Amino acid sequence: MNVESAMAHYLEIYKSLYKRIPSELRDLGGNWVLVNGAKMTVDELKQLTEQLQRELQQEQVRKRSIVKRLLNWFGGS
């Protein structure tokens, strides 16, 4: 995965999770990026993206659980 695709993937996951774009996302060259004021390597950005992906999945599971409980509650009335 190159720098551009790593940044695009991070941006997609970030927007899905936080419903906004990151305040800063820039390619600094030489395998370095700037993300919300933090300078990191592309590999670190990939790890951060994976972490955000896990958080997004947990949030989706939580929302599904709430919907299921509401449906069960309304269905049981």
Side-chain angles (χ1 to χ4, degrees), residues 5-22 25 49 52-53 56:
S5 61
M7 288 173 56
H9 190 223
Y10 172 81
L11 180 61
E12 174 188 336
I13 299 299
Y14 188 97
K15 284 176 23 179
S16 294
L17 184 60
Y18 297 115
K19 311 296 185 239
R20 60 183 171 86
I21 60 170
L25 182 59
T49 303
L52 292 181
Q53 179 70 49
L56 179 60

Side-chain angles (χ1 to χ4, degrees), residues 6 13 20 24 28 30 33 42 50 52 57-58 68 71 76:
I13 299 299
R20 60 183 171 86
E24 192 170 34
L28 298 176
V33 293
V42 173
E50 290 170 5
L52 292 181
Q57 290 170 342
Q58 290 172 349
K68 285 180 184 179
L71 289 173

Side-chain angles (χ1 to χ4, degrees), residues 44-60:
E44 291 170 326
L45 177 61
K46 291 176 189 175
Q47 291 173 356
L48 178 58
T49 303
E50 290 170 5
Q51 179 183 343
L52 292 181
Q53 179 70 49
R54 286 189 297 273
E55 290 178 27
L56 179 60
Q57 290 170 342
Q58 290 172 349
E59 182 65 17
Q60 290 169 339

